[in-house]
Amino acid sequence: MQGAPGGGMGPGLSSVDRRMLLVCSFILAAALGQMNFTGHQVLRILAKNEKQLSLLRDLEGLKPQKVDFWRGPARPSLPVDMRVPFSELKDVKSYLEAHGLAYSIMIKDIQVLLDQEREAMAKSRRLERSTSSFSYSSYHTLEEIYSWMDNLVTEHSDIVSKIQIGHSFENRSILVLKFSTGGSQRPAIWMDTGIHSREWITHATGIWTAKKIVNEYGKDRILTNILKSMDIFVEIVSNPDGFAFTHSMNRLWRKNKCNRPGVFCIGVDLNRNWRSGFGGNGSNDNPCSETYRGPYPHSEPEVAAVVDFITAHGNIKALISIHSYSQMLMYPYGHLLEPVSNQEELYNLAKDAVQALYEVHGIKYSYGSISTTLYVASGITVDWAYDSGIKYAFSFELRDTGRYGFLLPATEIIPTAQEMWMAVQTIMKHTLNHPY
C-alpha cells in the first residue's frame, strides 16, 4: 500500500524557502525547549515473510537505537511503520534496499505536522480564553485537562465525582472520574485512555466521552439504563508524567518517566507492566526499548494504582482500554495465541461494536483477539483484567491507519470520539444485559 506523503513541505517552496523553514523550526523548538524532529520521516514497510520481519526486528536492537517503531514487526500481513531520524535516514534506507525491503514514505517531515499541531493548539487556546469555554475539538495540556475535570465535577456534581487513586513517579495526581446515580460498590465499567502518552487522540476522546455521559444521561435511553444499575469510571490521563513530557519536551514520548539508579534510559512501557504474561514475548527487558516491561509486575505506580483500585472495588464487569493507532477493537489474550473461554461471545460482541462504529462515519475497524489481530504482547492491561475475572475486557486502537499515526489532526477528534462512543455503548449495553 502506497502511503500518502504526510505533511511534506509542498511543491511551491524553493530550496531557500525550505532552508529558512528548517532554521525557523529549529529556533522555535529551541526557544520552547522541545525536541525537534525536522527531517524525521515515517517509513512503511510491508514485509513479505518471517525472514524480512526478522531483518526489521534487528533494527530495534541496534545501539544506539536508530528507529522508533510506530507499528512494530508483527506478521507479514500487517504493515510496519517506523520513525527514522534525519541523521539515520540514509543508513536505514540503504539497509532496507540492500535486503530487498520495499518501503514508502508515510510522513515526509514529522516537524511539519508538529508545527501545525502546535499552531492549532495555540489558536484554540486564544479562542478558549476569549470565550471562557473549553474546546472538545482541540488537544489540551495536562493542566488544562485537570482544570476541565474540576469544572465538570462542579457543574454536574449530581452524577460525576473525582477520585484520586494514586500518584505518578513524579508525584502527579492520578485521577479518575466516577459517573454514578448512587449506591456503593455497584457493578461498574472501567475505561482508561492515554497509557501511552503520545497517543493524544485517546485523551481527547476520553474527554469527549466524559462530557457525552453527563449530557446524555436522562436523554439517551441506553446510557440512562446503564447508569441506573452501574457506575462508570473513566481514567483520562493514565500516564500523567509521560503526557506532560509530550507537551514540554518530546511529543513522541511513549513510556512513563521512572528513573532508576544505575539504569541509563528512562521510562517503562506501562502496557507491558501488568502481571498477566509479564516478561513474555512482545515485551522487552532492555530499559532503552520502547516496550521495556519494568523490573517486576506492577512496579510502576501508575499501574499499581489501577490494580489496587480495581481489586479493592471488586465489582468491575467491563474494562475498555483506549489506544491509537490502527483502527482495531480487540480482546484477550495478547500474551497467548490460545482463545479465551468466552471467545465466541467476545468475538460477536466486537463484531457488533465495530458495526455500530462503522455506521457513524463509515470507518472500518478490524476486530479479534490481540495476539491474532495485532501482535503478541505480554503484561498488558486487558489480559490482567480478564485474568482478574473481568469477563468483558477490550482494547481499542483508534484512528488512523498511518497517514498521520500518532499525530492525528485535531479536526478528527470529534468524529473519532463519536464513532468510538457507539462501539463503547454497545459493549456497555451487553455488559448490563449479561450480568455475572
Side-chain angles (χ1 to χ4, degrees):
M1 177 176 141
Q2 286 296 313
M9 290 193 184
L13 295 176
S14 68
S15 59
V16 174
D17 291 332
R18 284 195 174 96
R19 282 198 295 272
M20 284 302 296
L21 272 176
L22 210 65
V23 170
C24 288
S25 283
F26 274 121
I27 292 171
L28 179 65
L32 295 171
Q34 289 161 334
M35 194 168 164
N36 191 283
F37 292 90
T38 298
H40 291 223
Q41 294 186 347
V42 175
L43 306 183
R44 169 163 290 183
I45 303 97
L46 285 168
K48 295 174 184 173
N49 49 46
E50 282 298 326
K51 182 183 178 184
Q52 290 195 341
L53 284 174
S54 181
L55 288 166
L56 290 171
R57 291 187 189 107
D58 289 345
L59 283 171
E60 188 181 23
L62 295 175
K63 292 183 176 61
Q65 209 163 332
K66 292 182 182 288
V67 302
D68 166 23
F69 282 115
W70 285 18
R71 288 172 61 152
R75 61 176 59 85
S77 60
L78 289 176
V80 174
D81 294 347
M82 59 186 186
R83 174 180 62 85
V84 185
F86 179 73
S87 60
E88 306 293 346
L89 269 175
K90 187 178 178 182
D91 285 351
V92 170
K93 287 180 177 179
S94 295
Y95 175 89
L96 296 174
E97 289 159 7
H99 290 93
L101 289 157
Y103 64 85
S104 57
I105 299 172
M106 294 298 284
I107 301 177
K108 191 175 181 180
D109 188 334
I110 285 177
Q111 191 61 43
V112 173
L113 294 186
L114 293 181
D115 290 343
Q116 291 170 355
E117 182 179 72
R118 199 171 292 133
E119 187 180 329
M121 283 183 71
K123 185 178 179 182
S124 173
R125 192 172 288 124
R126 288 193 296 270
L127 184 63
E128 288 179 355
R129 283 174 181 164
S130 67
T131 58
S132 299
S133 62
F134 184 90
S135 172
Y136 292 88
S137 57
S138 303
Y139 291 120
H140 294 89
T141 64
L142 181 70
E143 293 76 18
E144 290 166 347
I145 293 171
Y146 279 7
S147 175
W148 167 84
M149 289 172 75
D150 288 339
N151 291 335
L152 186 78
V153 170
T154 300
E155 292 168 13
H156 302 276
S157 57
D158 57 323
I159 192 174
V160 60
S161 57
K162 184 181 76 173
I163 305 168
Q164 181 173 299
I165 65 169
H167 288 87
S168 66
F169 181 83
E170 293 180 340
N171 206 35
R172 291 181 174 88
S173 296
I174 301 172
L175 304 176
V176 173
L177 292 174
K178 178 184 180 181
F179 300 87
S180 180
T181 56
S184 60
Q185 302 304 106
R186 298 199 306 172
I189 293 157
W190 171 276
M191 180 174 152
D192 62 75
T193 62
I195 196 168
H196 290 144
S197 48
R198 64 189 177 186
E199 297 168 9
W200 282 11
I201 185 59
T202 69
H203 310 86
T205 299
I207 291 166
W208 185 94
T209 300
K211 183 65 171 175
K212 182 75 170 176
I213 293 170
V214 298
N215 281 350
E216 294 298 309
Y217 174 68
K219 300 172 189 172
D220 181 279
R221 183 178 52 83
I222 295 171
L223 176 65
T224 303
N225 285 340
I226 290 164
L227 281 173
K228 280 179 180 175
S229 306
M230 307 182 80
D231 295 338
I232 301 172
F233 294 99
V234 181
E235 182 188 25
I236 291 173
V237 188
S238 304
N239 178 4
D241 297 347
F243 185 59
F245 194 64
T246 62
H247 285 274
S248 66
M249 185 61 68
N250 180 353
R251 170 63 178 86
L252 298 175
W253 188 261
R254 167 186 168 99
K255 302 188 284 185
N256 76 347
K257 290 300 304 301
C258 97
N259 188 5
R260 289 187 167 83
V263 178
F264 176 72
C265 291
I266 291 172
V268 166
D269 181 345
L270 298 178
N271 202 37
R272 299 295 184 276
N273 190 240
W274 304 73
R275 191 175 307 283
S276 290
F278 179 83
N281 291 335
S283 67
N284 205 305
D285 61 359
N286 175 8
C288 297
S289 167
E290 291 289 354
T291 55
Y292 174 52
R293 67 197 181 209
Y296 54 88
H298 309 166
S299 61
E300 305 313 295
E302 299 87 352
V303 171
V306 176
V307 168
D308 291 347
F309 179 83
I310 289 178
T311 303
H313 184 281
N315 208 10
I316 304 290
K317 299 301 183 183
L319 178 143
I320 302 167
S321 191
I322 312 294
H323 294 256
S324 74
Y325 60 95
S326 285
Q327 294 173 196
M328 295 175 174
L329 174 57
M330 298 168 291
Y331 49 82
Y333 279 120
H335 74 286
L336 296 172
L337 290 170
E338 289 76 17
V340 294
S341 60
N342 62 330
Q343 140 82 18
E344 187 177 353
E345 181 186 19
L346 295 181
Y347 177 87
N348 288 327
L349 178 50
K351 181 180 179 181
D352 291 345
V354 163
Q355 180 58 32
L357 182 153
Y358 173 77
E359 288 171 4
V360 181
H361 295 297
I363 298 295
K364 293 182 179 179
Y365 273 50
S366 305
Y367 57 94
S369 74
I370 294 165
S371 58
T372 60
T373 306
L374 187 56
Y375 45 56
V376 172
S378 303
I380 64 175
T381 313
V382 291
D383 282 8
W384 172 83
Y386 189 84
D387 284 346
S388 299
I390 301 173
K391 190 174 168 181
Y392 302 115
F394 287 92
S395 179
F396 280 83
E397 294 283 349
L398 301 181
R399 296 188 188 189
D400 58 7
T401 56
R403 168 67 174 83
Y404 293 100
F406 301 122
L407 305 177
L408 197 68
T411 51
E412 295 202 35
I413 291 171
I414 289 177
T416 300
Q418 287 171 334
E419 65 199 12
M420 191 205 74
W421 170 249
M422 296 311 295
V424 166
Q425 198 175 56
T426 301
I427 294 168
M428 293 196 299
K429 182 182 177 183
H430 184 90
T431 305
L432 174 67
N433 294 337
H434 296 80
Y436 63 96

